[in-house]
Amino acid sequence: MGHTEALPAVSVLIPMFNAESTIESTIRSVLAQTMADFEIVVVDDGSTDNSGQLVNLLAATDHRIRLLRQPTNQGIVAAMNFGLGFCRAPLIARLDADDRWMAHRLSDQVVLFGERSDVVLAASGYRKVDESGHVFRQVIGPRTHAQAFAALLLGNCLVHSAVMYRADAVRSIGGYDPLWFPVEDYDLWIRLLTVGRFAGAGRVAVDYHSSESGISSVNQAWQEDQRRKRSMAFFSAIVGDHASHSLRLVIENVVQRDPIGVMMRRDAVRLFVDVRSNVRVEGDGDASLLAQLNSRIRDVRRVHRYALIASVSPSFLLRALLQRVRSRNR
């Protein structure tokens, strides 16, 4: 009988374009993980520098590294979808070519998937670093499915390099959607929550590199516009079309304003969890909770007045809606 090679536990997917200054340290941060059962799938998206040669040198010393080449630069969405087809593991961890992991990144998240079969998306916290390596922000992120759901209603709370997902779940929903670039990651998280649950690792495991030449910086205005559109589509799907006109006024005040938007995201997570503990849920879990919240939101006759309040004090609005949920449930 022939020998059958065992599949790795995790595929690390790294799209790369002209990353010769960072790709070696990025890959070495994966090789330094406390768990060793992984493969690294690097997609060279038509690089014109020495990125490919550097990856080949590393691959010659470690059989877990594979380099795939695109003949021309087709963009990160195409590169990721191409790479998904070559990932052999049941779990896929994403990593950008200029970010780095701490040694516990993979092991922290693999445990989460082992604990619950319905988890399809997990994330760790991250440190934001500038081009000199200085850490200027640290974010833990959501821990539970309810927290992630509430935060994603208002924007992208997850960093791509800190995320792991089930390969079959991502493939079942069609992978990354190029129509939502440059918020294709945010769109994917939302769609994943329609087929499974989220789990948070609860500690920082990623150094997320912030660069003026990065996709988020170069496409900042476009990205913000796309984020607003995707957030609104997500919210409308939750509350129903008949309520979306009035509630759109409310949510637009939430998603378009900073620092109020940041404050609201924090409040939304806290208040959503508060609702979970104060609303008597019939049935099991978040589906029943969302059904109750949906019916109560539809039943708010003064939502137009609330929309006006939102323009001045979004936090007050959320607390008013929460109070109405509580009073109607007594």
Side-chain angles (χ1 to χ4, degrees):
M1 296 179 63
H3 174 70
T4 302
E5 183 180 2
L7 297 179
V10 180
S11 293
V12 180
L13 177 58
I14 308 176
M16 175 183 72
F17 176 68
N18 288 349
E20 64 180 4
S21 63
T22 60
I23 189 61
E24 182 175 356
S25 63
T26 295
I27 291 177
R28 290 196 182 279
S29 76
V30 182
L31 299 178
Q33 292 294 295
T34 55
M35 67 166 285
D37 189 10
F38 59 79
E39 65 174 358
I40 302 175
V41 178
V42 181
V43 180
D44 185 356
D45 188 28
S47 294
T48 57
D49 63 2
N50 293 318
S51 301
Q53 293 90 314
L54 291 172
V55 175
N56 275 329
L57 288 174
L58 290 169
T61 64
D62 196 310
H63 71 280
R64 294 173 295 180
I65 303 171
R66 289 191 292 153
L67 177 63
L68 309 174
R69 293 184 183 273
Q70 302 255 60
T72 59
N73 179 241
Q74 299 179 39
I76 189 170
V77 178
M80 290 188 296
N81 282 333
F82 178 68
L84 285 175
F86 290 87
C87 291
R88 300 179 297 152
L91 300 175
I92 298 175
R94 270 283 288 111
L95 179 57
D96 288 337
D98 59 350
D99 295 337
R100 289 179 293 277
W101 288 347
M102 298 173 192
H104 53 83
R105 197 293 207 194
L106 289 181
S107 57
D108 279 1
Q109 293 183 358
V110 167
V111 169
L112 297 174
F113 286 93
E115 290 174 344
R116 292 195 59 157
S117 61
D118 57 351
V119 169
V120 296
L121 177 66
S124 297
Y126 62 93
R127 300 188 305 186
K128 206 167 185 178
V129 300
D130 59 24
E131 294 183 352
S132 65
H134 173 70
V135 177
F136 61 92
R137 188 184 179 195
Q138 181 167 299
V139 179
I140 296 298
R143 293 291 308 276
T144 69
H145 179 77
Q147 289 175 345
F149 193 99
L152 286 169
L153 275 170
L154 299 177
N156 193 359
C157 58
L158 308 179
V159 166
H160 218 156
S161 290
V163 159
M164 181 182 289
Y165 42 65
R166 289 196 190 274
D168 57 356
V170 167
R171 290 172 183 140
S172 72
I173 60 175
Y176 293 91
D177 187 347
L179 295 178
W180 281 111
F181 178 82
V183 294
E184 73 288 336
D185 53 343
Y186 177 44
D187 167 68
L188 186 67
W189 315 152
I190 290 172
R191 287 186 289 124
L192 277 172
L193 292 191
T194 67
V195 297
R197 299 180 65 85
F198 171 87
R203 63 171 171 168
V204 170
V206 177
D207 279 341
Y208 168 61
H209 182 245
S210 179
S211 169
E212 293 182 358
S213 61
I215 291 176
S216 295
S217 298
V218 173
N219 300 290
Q220 188 171 7
W222 183 21
Q223 186 176 50
E224 181 63 16
D225 183 60
Q226 287 285 80
R227 183 189 67 80
R228 288 193 191 108
K229 290 178 181 177
R230 191 61 184 95
S231 180
M232 288 303 303
F234 184 28
F235 186 82
S236 294
I238 296 300
V239 303
D241 290 338
H242 61 285
S244 64
H245 175 69
S246 296
L247 291 175
R248 185 181 301 273
L249 298 175
V250 175
I251 298 304
E252 282 180 348
N253 277 288
V254 172
V255 301
Q256 290 184 12
R257 299 173 61 181
D258 283 323
I260 290 178
V262 175
M263 177 186 68
M264 281 294 293
R265 187 176 298 112
R266 184 171 59 248
D267 284 353
V269 171
R270 184 164 57 247
L271 292 175
F272 193 88
V273 174
D274 196 14
V275 169
R276 285 177 59 82
S277 63
N278 284 282
V279 175
R280 293 192 299 274
V281 177
E282 300 175 1
D284 181 31
D286 294 322
S288 179
L289 168 66
L290 290 174
Q292 290 194 44
L293 288 177
N294 192 12
S295 66
R296 283 157 177 75
I297 289 173
R298 287 199 302 263
D299 206 27
V300 175
R301 298 181 180 179
R302 297 186 219 178
V303 71
H304 287 282
R305 185 177 302 174
Y306 287 157
L308 294 175
I309 296 173
S311 65
V312 178
S313 178
S315 288
F316 182 80
L317 169 70
L318 268 185
R319 296 183 188 284
L321 289 173
L322 174 62
Q323 185 60 40
R324 196 168 183 86
V325 168
R326 285 173 174 167
S327 63
R328 285 181 172 275
N329 200 58
R330 288 171 181 165

